[in-house]
Amino acid sequence: MTAAAAAVTAASAGVTVVATSASAVAADAARASYNANAIFALCSWPFSLKLLWAPIVDSCFFKRFGRRKSWLIPIQTLAGLIMLGGSDFVERQLGLGNAGSIAEGAANSVAAMDVRGVTAFFFVLYFLMATQDIAVDGWALTMLSKKNRGRGPICNSIGQNIGYFLSFVGFLALNDVESSETLWRPLLRLPKNPDRGLVSLKGFLRFMGSFMLLTTAVVALFKREIKAPAVASTKNNDVNSNRRSSFFTPLKSSSDVVGVTSVIDEEDDDDAELDAAQIGLKETYHRLWAVSKLPAVRSLFVVLVTYRLPVALSDNVKFLKAVEYGLSKSTTALLSPTLILPLGILVPIAASKIWHAAPLRQFMRAYEWRVTLIPLLDIFMLRLLKSGQPHDTPMFWGAVMASTAGQAICNSLQFNAQMTFFASRVDPAIGGSYMTLLNTMANLGGTWPASFVMKLLGWLTPSGVDGDATAPGRDPYEIVQAIFSVLGILWVIFLGPVTRRLAALPDDAWRTHLLDGDDDDGGNKNSNDKKTKNKNKTTTKITHRKRNKNLSDISGGSLRMGAMESGVDLSSWKEAKNDGKIE
């Protein structure tokens, strides 16, 4: 956008320079723009590092105020106040505060912009929102039953697309001068102002900050968290008098096993989730490290961290390059509500019907399109823009719509597939932390290629003194895109089989089994503990509807009572007793 503005400035200011001088200004501005975007991309890193403090958010809270609200309310309040108070700062750092017109604002945009200040501001906001995201993900696990958790990724995808539309496309439409003059001001009967859009960046930040404060107040006053049901006991309730408000109670020795069982909902055969608040920070980090050492998880890490590099140009540069070649913000604002938003809502719903049992097959199919078809559509669209074709021809609109819709479909398919796969494979005993771990790696896979590809294009783009950057063969975009497409095809060849093997792995390959026998807490591993562990495993087979109930050393009468309270079929209990599997 900076490059396009610099070229417009050179023409509108009536500067008597040759065309090569104007293109030199555009080339220098393009290099500055890519380098600035490479630095600005660093602000999203908190989402790739949130695993470091996720256990703190899960385990530290004020019980009376609410486990999730203890973090949501202060974080969202602080974020709203930062947006309200920092709106002037952002405009000054971007060099927009004193812009009286388009020409005046663009003339000094490169020199006046302090990208480091803007990056620091949004880094703080990203850190707060990443922390808020941890609390929201944990709250969602308690809101959705197991049978509905598969629909969680669909809700996530639809919600993010609506938010993307309101905050990005909505702002562009209201900030664009042309759209404001031809549509919004006549519609609202406002006086004309050809030098400014209807909404400034400062005004938008203030509005969203106020809106966040309002929604936070509503949540604080009217939304209450549902407490987890307390652990039930058998008739030997003197052993289990101190009840804990979680589905799973960690056991420290064989003596703690006597008389302990859990409430099981007959209609919702849900798995018990480990409570980070009960086991402590050290044990939570220990369990996450154990998850990271699983071979299946390590292979998934490789997939998540590498697959976004071959598509980094389409994800991060295509829009900037299109604006540089003359695509107006009004066109983008028109495409998004007609294409991106409907596709973002409909594609996850349709994908759940087509690939509902094979999310990684959906993931690979979308990725094959993403590294082969989408780059061709992008290059075709950019060449039309670069050639100066009229923007009212069917070919122009067809190229722009095909490139935009193709990328939107593939992005939605892959995001929905990976979220569905995560939800179906995580160990339910540590589901919240497990999901945070996988989402963190997925975010990291999209973060580091953004800075890398921006810096690469800034380095490859020739400066103004090197010649005409717009001449054929001088623009590095197509060459880099060809190299990245080859990398994408190689990724499909070598890592595609790895992805298919991950899809075929049984659920057991994603489990740490730290809770089996509960010998991961540093207890003694003598022969008596081993016998206890074996007896626990035998009892787990009897209570087949739930794992890790640890009902060993319980008398026959107590076990029968526990089985009845837990909803276990008594015929299975009697059969096991007759076979001598229990005492």
Side-chain angles (χ1 to χ4, degrees):
M1 288 186 287
T2 305
V8 171
T9 303
S12 61
V15 181
T16 56
V17 293
V18 294
T20 55
S21 298
S23 62
V25 173
D28 289 338
R31 287 171 60 87
S33 179
Y34 291 129
N35 292 333
N37 275 281
I39 297 174
F40 184 72
L42 298 175
C43 70
S44 62
W45 272 84
F47 273 92
S48 301
L49 302 174
K50 64 180 181 178
L51 181 66
L52 299 177
W53 62 90
I56 300 176
V57 178
D58 282 337
S59 59
C60 302
F61 57 92
F62 297 103
K63 184 177 293 186
R64 294 187 62 183
F65 192 58
R67 182 176 181 181
R68 313 301 178 184
K69 289 172 64 176
S70 296
W71 290 91
L72 287 177
I73 304 307
I75 284 175
Q76 291 188 178
T77 300
L78 182 59
L81 293 175
I82 287 176
M83 283 191 281
L84 280 174
S87 57
D88 286 321
F89 171 80
V90 172
E91 283 211 337
R92 288 197 306 270
Q93 299 301 103
L94 288 174
L96 303 176
N98 298 322
S101 65
I102 299 176
E104 294 172 2
N108 299 315
S109 59
V110 177
M113 182 173 60
D114 183 1
V115 69
R116 289 175 176 81
V118 178
T119 302
F121 176 86
F122 282 100
F123 186 91
V124 174
L125 278 183
Y126 267 76
F127 175 80
L128 294 174
M129 291 299 98
T131 308
Q132 183 249 26
D133 193 51
I134 297 169
V136 170
D137 286 343
W139 203 349
L141 287 176
T142 62
M143 289 182 179
L144 296 175
S145 62
K146 183 179 180 181
K147 65 181 180 181
N148 288 327
R149 284 179 188 170
R151 301 175 184 176
I154 299 177
C155 298
N156 195 335
S157 180
I158 292 175
Q160 287 199 25
N161 277 282
I162 294 176
Y164 170 86
F165 167 73
L166 293 176
S167 61
F168 177 61
V169 180
F171 170 69
L172 282 181
L174 297 175
N175 179 257
D176 182 55
V177 175
E178 181 182 350
S179 299
S180 298
E181 285 299 295
T182 59
L183 178 60
W184 303 118
R185 287 194 173 99
L187 183 65
L188 299 175
R189 298 182 179 180
L190 297 175
K192 291 187 175 183
N193 187 353
D195 293 331
R196 293 182 181 273
L198 185 64
V199 173
S200 65
L201 179 59
K202 178 173 66 176
F204 183 78
L205 279 173
R206 286 180 175 176
F207 172 80
M208 295 310 300
S210 302
F211 184 74
M212 177 167 284
L213 292 176
L214 175 63
T215 56
T216 302
V218 171
V219 172
L221 296 175
F222 301 107
K223 180 63 180 176
R224 295 191 178 186
E225 295 187 50
I226 301 176
K227 295 183 179 180
V231 176
S233 65
T234 64
K235 62 182 182 179
N236 298 327
N237 52 16
D238 56 319
V239 179
N240 197 33
S241 59
N242 294 327
R243 299 180 179 181
R244 298 186 181 186
S245 59
S246 67
F247 289 106
F248 175 78
T249 304
L251 304 176
K252 298 304 179 184
S253 65
S254 59
S255 62
D256 293 336
V257 178
V258 181
V260 179
T261 186
S262 297
V263 175
I264 303 175
D265 189 348
E266 289 278 0
E267 297 181 356
D268 185 17
D269 187 17
D270 209 349
D271 291 297
E273 182 174 1
L274 196 64
D275 195 339
Q278 294 182 7
I279 66 173
L281 284 176
K282 182 178 179 180
E283 184 62 22
T284 302
Y285 282 112
H286 170 228
R287 295 179 190 276
L288 285 176
W289 178 246
V291 170
S292 301
K293 293 191 296 184
L294 291 174
V297 174
R298 288 185 174 183
S299 298
L300 183 59
F301 284 172
V302 174
V303 171
L304 294 175
V305 172
T306 58
Y307 86 95
R308 293 287 294 273
L309 176 61
V311 297
L313 280 178
S314 294
D315 290 347
N316 303 285
V317 180
K318 178 180 68 174
F319 174 77
L320 293 175
K321 188 63 72 171
V323 173
E324 180 183 335
Y325 290 160
L327 184 67
S328 65
K329 288 188 289 184
S330 59
T331 301
T332 305
L334 178 63
L335 284 174
S336 295
T338 57
L339 281 179
I340 296 178
L341 181 62
L343 289 174
I345 296 174
L346 297 176
V347 168
I349 299 175
S352 65
K353 304 296 184 181
I354 300 173
W355 289 291
H356 63 280
L360 288 189
R361 189 170 64 188
Q362 169 187 330
F363 180 90
M364 287 303 302
R365 182 55 56 88
Y367 193 67
E368 291 167 0
W369 297 339
R370 204 170 174 183
V371 299
T372 55
L373 178 61
I374 303 304
L376 296 177
L377 294 176
D378 292 347
I379 290 176
F380 180 66
M381 179 195 70
L382 293 175
R383 285 200 169 189
L384 278 180
L385 288 170
K386 192 174 181 179
S387 65
Q389 289 283 336
H391 291 188
D392 56 354
T393 62
M395 180 176 291
F396 168 81
W397 282 105
V400 173
M401 292 176 67
S403 176
T404 305
Q407 184 177 5
I409 291 173
C410 292
N411 287 348
S412 184
L413 284 176
Q414 285 203 284
F415 177 78
N416 176 254
Q418 76 180 29
M419 293 297 294
T420 302
F421 183 76
F422 293 169
S424 65
R425 291 299 190 274
V426 298
D427 189 341
I430 45 177
S433 300
Y434 208 141
M435 283 291 289
T436 301
L437 173 65
L438 297 182
N439 284 325
T440 298
M441 298 308 297
N443 290 329
L444 179 62
T447 301
W448 76 266
S451 296
F452 172 76
V453 74
M454 289 290 186
K455 197 67 178 177
L456 178 64
L457 282 182
W459 177 61
L460 293 176
T461 300
S463 63
V465 298
D466 294 333
D468 187 1
T470 63
R474 301 295 295 177
D475 193 333
Y477 183 90
E478 293 187 11
I479 298 176
V480 175
Q481 180 63 83
I483 295 173
F484 278 20
S485 294
V486 173
L487 288 177
I489 295 173
L490 292 175
W491 192 99
V492 172
I493 294 174
F494 291 103
L495 289 180
V498 175
T499 307
R500 287 187 286 271
R501 284 197 296 270
L502 291 175
L505 289 176
D507 289 345
D508 194 64
W510 304 91
R511 305 293 199 258
T512 60
H513 299 291
L514 287 177
L515 303 181
D516 293 349
D518 198 44
D519 59 357
D520 60 309
D521 58 351
N524 296 326
K525 293 180 173 58
N526 53 33
S527 59
N528 292 333
D529 291 335
K530 292 182 179 179
K531 291 180 180 179
T532 302
K533 179 178 179 181
N534 293 332
K535 296 181 75 175
N536 287 343
K537 289 184 176 180
T538 301
T539 308
T540 302
K541 294 180 181 178
I542 305 304
T543 57
H544 56 87
R545 294 190 59 196
K546 291 291 171 183
R547 300 177 60 220
N548 305 318
K549 298 308 181 203
N550 298 298
L551 298 177
S552 61
D553 297 331
I554 300 178
S555 64
S558 297
L559 180 58
R560 184 187 294 109
M561 180 65 69
M564 294 174 63
E565 292 182 357
S566 301
V568 177
D569 187 3
L570 285 179
S571 62
S572 300
W573 178 85
K574 291 178 180 179
E575 181 181 352
K577 189 175 187 302
N578 293 332
D579 292 341
K581 294 181 179 179
I582 59 176
E583 298 177 358

